[in-house]
Amino acid sequence: MISFILFILKPIICASKLASQPLADSLRQAAIAIGDRYGECFALQVKFLYEYYKPNNFRHFDQSLQAYMDKVLSYGMDRFYFYAVSMKTFYYTREKRYLEGFLYLQEQTNIAESRNNHYGICMLHRMTGVIQHSRGELWQNKDHAPPTMAIYKLYKSNEQ
């Protein structure tokens, strides 16, 4: 059991290194063989994290991220999908491409609202606050806190 856990954790821990890629491929093949959707998604996550840590690598990062997002959507894993959205937003923020990040979040928020996905809406409001905080716009950041908390409370009450 411990070896399997280490088998899963090792590529995630060293995602920024090239050595993580063959490990992620092995993990994905093993996960597919046993029908483990989560394992398969974690292996794809290592792929896009490897591209994330490279500077000025948006095209490759976006391709691997899109493959991950398509897979998690096909499996109905909304939380993994919005994790990917947040990683793309972090990438935009890291590269100081704030306007692209805002536009992307606006597009994703419309999608989450049309699906009535409270978790996604909450996550996207939080990520808008992250961009505003990174830009030093704390006066605008405070505007996103109340709706985020209200959505979170509604989401938690519906979850129980």
Side-chain angles (χ1 to χ4, degrees):
M1 179 67 171
I2 297 294
S3 62
F4 184 70
I5 293 171
L6 291 176
F7 179 70
I8 292 172
L9 289 179
K10 189 174 181 180
I12 293 172
I13 292 168
C14 64
S16 62
K17 298 179 177 74
L18 183 60
S20 67
Q21 298 308 292
L23 291 171
D25 289 336
S26 298
L27 174 61
R28 185 168 184 225
Q29 294 306 319
I32 290 170
I34 63 172
D36 181 5
R37 292 179 172 189
Y38 286 98
E40 182 181 357
C41 291
F42 280 121
L44 287 172
Q45 195 176 94
V46 172
K47 292 278 194 191
F48 82 74
L49 286 174
Y50 172 72
E51 301 296 343
Y52 173 84
Y53 288 112
K54 291 181 178 177
N56 300 318
N57 191 37
F58 183 75
R59 185 171 55 88
H60 295 291
F61 168 69
D62 196 40
Q63 287 173 348
S64 59
L65 186 72
Q66 194 59 50
Y68 174 80
M69 292 170 84
D70 292 343
K71 182 59 71 176
V72 298
L73 274 181
S74 73
Y75 289 156
M77 298 175 176
D78 288 343
R79 288 182 185 228
F80 283 37
Y81 177 82
F82 289 108
Y83 166 72
V85 170
S86 71
M87 290 305 295
K88 189 169 184 177
T89 306
F90 280 128
Y91 190 93
Y92 282 133
T93 303
R94 185 185 79 194
E95 299 294 319
K96 298 187 180 358
R97 295 165 61 178
Y98 302 117
L99 182 58
E100 290 173 85
F102 274 126
L103 293 174
Y104 179 68
L105 283 176
Q106 195 171 32
E107 173 189 326
Q108 292 298 319
T109 301
N110 291 339
I111 292 169
E113 287 174 347
S114 71
R115 294 179 181 165
N116 199 26
N117 187 313
H118 297 289
Y119 177 82
I121 295 167
C122 185
M123 172 71 84
L124 297 169
H125 276 293
R126 187 180 80 71
M127 291 310 299
T128 301
V130 166
I131 290 177
Q132 290 171 335
H133 178 74
S134 297
R135 291 186 55 166
E137 299 171 340
L138 293 177
W139 58 275
Q140 286 181 338
N141 190 1
K142 71 175 178 54
D143 295 339
H144 284 278
T148 302
M149 292 307 296
I151 293 167
Y152 177 76
K153 288 176 184 174
L154 177 66
Y155 174 74
K156 280 301 190 187
S157 67
N158 289 341
E159 199 173 66
Q160 295 171 358

